[in-house]
Amino acid sequence: MENRYAKQELFSPIGREGQNLLQTKHILIMGAGALGSANAEMLVRAGIGKVTIIDRDIVESSNLHRQQLYTEKEAEKHTPKAIAAKERLQQINQDTKIDAFVLDADAANLEKLIRNVNLIIDGTDNFDIRFILNDLSQKHQIPWIFGASAGSFGMTYTFIPGKTPCLHCLFPSIPGIGMSCDSSGIIGPAIQMTASYQTTEAMKWLTENEEALRTSLLFFDIWHGQQQTIGMNKGKNKECLSCGNNRAYPYLNQSETAHIDVLCGRDTVQIRPSSKKKYDFSHIAKHLQSHGNVKSNNYVLTCLYRDYRIAVFHDGRVLIHGTKKKDEAKSIYHEFFAETNLNLVTKE
Amino acid sequence: MIKVLFFARLQEELGKDNMELDTAGWTIDELKNWLEAEYNLDGVTQTMTAVNEEFTDGSHILASGDTVAFIPPVSGG
Ligand SMILES: [Zn+2]
């Protein structure tokens, strides 16, 4: 009987040797949404040794048209994506070691998780976290593969510390108006195409085919069949604060503040309190159940309240589903989680 | 002449994907500011720019025969 990777080994740039290398490598996939799912599945099928996968979100039915690791069952149960991803990936390949984290990533907690990682894959949906990934990549000399998709468009680039420009060279500050799934919608094939380019680059790096890496940034429109490459010979900025001569890694030193984000592609606002909490769900359930139907699993507690669904995590993060408006979400949050109330439901 | 290519959101806002402009000698930043004012092209100043398919910053001076591409950053995923 042929071994499960026989056809991949037959592909000569990889070969038996490349396959053996791949099986010793460790990647970190930041985000288990659409791009994260697609990259994770391809690389786990390919036989990668270890995957660390991080996501802060839960599975929703509006994810299912493009997030390939998830099913209706998980959308109904509000399973955290990282947990659902691990379960599915382990069914696909039990030999890959998979560490899953339900976590709102920031510079501090990510820095702990990138030790011994050979490569970072971008499965995120915003530039704030990408600028943190970029600084970590430079500081720890770990390449990362940028991927982004919206509408029928995709964009990808392979950042190699010491060799290519970095994200901060290409954008002097965080782009304020990137095309997102909220503004442009998203179709599955644009995701699959972007992820395929990312995974291909990952395979090259992990099988030590460095000379084969694409050196240009790629932009495409899969609906109109257009493609544009941008060469990066003049991309490097010597004064860059992330990769230049006087580097300061500015995105690793942000102060702790409460954050309110509108999540990509759906009617959801996330609120992250200024300090980490340790919520006891039984206390919170008692507090919320007079307002609406409360359900919980090990990871998340949900409450149906008016036209909203409120999802609460142990660390104090709250998702308000049913609105895209930050102010609206904030007022609901404060109804239940004003700092005075928080003390009542917080178990130290 | 300079050929200017527009991608993604810019295409939709303009209703076309390219223009021929007589802007040799201008910098990229000057061209972007002019486009923003002339066509009410929201956020063109934040787009990535390639000249003849090479990444270029705002100070680059355009020469006749150049092809400029404006590509808006994509953030979703
Ligand atoms: Zn840089």
Side-chain angles (χ1 to χ4, degrees):
Chain A
M1 197 175 71
E2 275 189 320
N3 90 59
R4 69 182 285 171
Y5 304 115
K7 294 291 187 286
Q8 194 162 278
E9 289 169 5
L10 201 53
F11 178 69
S12 62
I14 293 180
R16 172 63 65 90
E17 207 178 316
Q19 186 61 40
N20 288 340
L21 283 168
L22 193 62
Q23 286 168 234
T24 66
K25 297 295 168 87
H26 177 192
I27 54 164
L28 182 140
I29 300 181
M30 184 57 235
L35 288 174
S37 287
N39 276 293
E41 178 161 347
M42 281 188 276
L43 285 161
V44 165
R45 283 189 189 279
I48 182 95
K50 181 175 174 184
V51 173
T52 299
I53 190 158
I54 302 167
D55 198 281
R56 63 185 179 183
D57 209 355
I58 56 180
V59 180
E60 298 275 335
S61 63
S62 66
N63 301 148
L64 299 179
H65 80 110
R66 69 187 189 285
Q67 301 191 12
Q68 70 190 62
L69 292 174
Y70 312 125
T71 62
E72 292 174 358
K73 195 180 87 198
E74 286 147 347
E76 266 163 43
K77 285 167 60 187
H78 312 310
T79 311
K81 288 180 184 174
I83 302 302
K86 176 177 169 149
E87 195 179 311
R88 173 70 182 148
L89 293 168
Q90 215 70 87
Q91 286 166 359
I92 289 169
N93 193 341
Q94 58 180 332
D95 295 332
T96 299
K97 168 112 174 59
I98 295 167
D99 284 349
F101 294 89
V102 182
L103 183 72
D104 189 26
D106 57 29
N109 58 29
L110 270 179
E111 190 153 18
K112 291 184 194 128
L113 293 173
I114 60 164
R115 288 195 193 120
N116 305 316
V117 161
N118 299 106
L119 178 73
I120 299 165
I121 305 235
D122 172 18
T124 71
D125 60 10
N126 67 84
F127 275 105
D128 294 302
I129 188 75
R130 289 187 182 107
F131 273 72
I132 292 174
L133 285 182
N134 185 65
D135 273 1
L136 287 172
S137 150
Q138 290 298 328
K139 185 175 172 187
H140 295 276
Q141 300 287 298
I142 302 168
W144 71 285
I145 304 177
F146 162 62
S149 190
S152 58
F153 309 113
M155 194 179 252
T156 178
Y157 184 65
T158 306
F159 290 101
I160 311 284
K163 197 164 178 193
T164 70
C166 83
L167 183 69
H168 202 176
C169 293
L170 306 186
F171 295 102
S173 61
I174 296 180
I177 47 158
M179 283 186 298
S180 70
C181 313
D182 279 322
S183 58
S184 314
I186 179 72
I187 56 172
I191 290 289
Q192 296 299 329
M193 181 74 108
T194 308
S196 294
Y197 278 115
Q198 285 179 288
T199 292
T200 306
E201 290 291 284
M203 285 175 141
K204 293 176 194 172
W205 179 259
L206 298 169
T207 61
E208 298 178 8
N209 280 292
E210 202 180 326
E211 70 296 338
L213 291 169
R214 183 170 25 74
T215 56
S216 57
L217 182 144
L218 184 70
F219 173 89
F220 65 81
D221 175 352
I222 197 169
W223 191 267
H224 296 102
Q226 277 183 324
Q227 178 165 313
Q228 179 77 21
T229 57
I230 306 183
M232 285 296 164
N233 290 328
K234 290 182 275 180
K236 178 111 179 152
N237 171 12
K238 289 195 188 76
E239 311 299 317
C240 175
L241 288 175
S242 296
C243 76
N245 297 328
N246 295 308
R247 50 181 76 188
Y249 311 121
Y251 297 96
L252 300 186
N253 305 308
Q254 287 159 323
S255 59
E256 277 266 312
T257 50
H259 273 289
I260 303 185
D261 302 312
V262 182
L263 297 189
C264 188
R266 54 214 170 71
D267 252 10
T268 303
V269 176
Q270 167 176 280
I271 298 174
R272 187 171 60 187
S274 54
S275 60
K276 286 251 153 57
K277 312 291 178 193
K278 262 193 185 160
Y279 280 168
D280 180 334
F281 282 173
S282 61
H283 282 73
I284 297 195
K286 227 181 275 172
H287 181 61
L288 288 179
Q289 65 203 2
S290 56
H291 302 280
N293 186 18
V294 173
K295 282 201 293 189
S296 66
N297 60 33
N298 286 337
Y299 312 99
V300 58
L301 175 146
T302 57
C303 175
L304 293 173
Y305 171 66
R306 297 185 357 221
D307 293 336
Y308 309 103
R309 200 174 71 249
I310 304 169
V312 187
F313 293 84
H314 289 290
D315 66 1
R317 263 187 322 124
V318 173
L319 303 178
I320 314 275
H321 302 279
T323 180
K324 282 180 188 163
K325 297 198 186 88
K326 288 184 181 178
D327 288 346
E328 201 176 316
K330 214 155 70 176
S331 70
I332 293 161
Y333 179 83
H334 284 302
E335 276 180 50
F336 302 110
F337 301 96
E339 294 293 329
T340 49
N341 282 345
L342 285 178
N343 295 333
L344 292 174
V345 295
T346 302
K347 194 173 86 175
E348 296 302 339
Chain B
M1 291 301 260
I2 310 287
K3 184 158 194 180
V4 186
L5 308 176
F6 300 94
F7 290 89
R9 187 168 48 71
L10 298 175
Q11 256 176 32
E12 287 160 26
E13 283 180 35
L14 269 177
K16 53 180 157 185
D17 60 10
N18 75 87
M19 283 181 196
E20 299 260 349
L21 294 171
D22 192 11
T23 55
W26 293 27
T27 66
I28 293 291
D29 279 342
E30 286 165 352
L31 177 60
K32 283 182 172 178
N33 289 334
W34 181 81
L35 284 166
E36 188 171 54
E38 186 75 15
Y39 294 96
N40 202 11
L41 207 51
D42 197 25
V44 71
T45 51
Q46 286 209 34
T47 58
M48 209 183 280
T49 310
V51 175
N52 305 326
E53 300 194 9
E54 278 292 327
F55 178 87
T56 310
D57 71 19
S59 63
H60 177 88
I61 295 170
L62 293 166
S64 187
D66 279 349
T67 298
V68 181
F70 290 126
I71 300 174
V74 179
S75 67

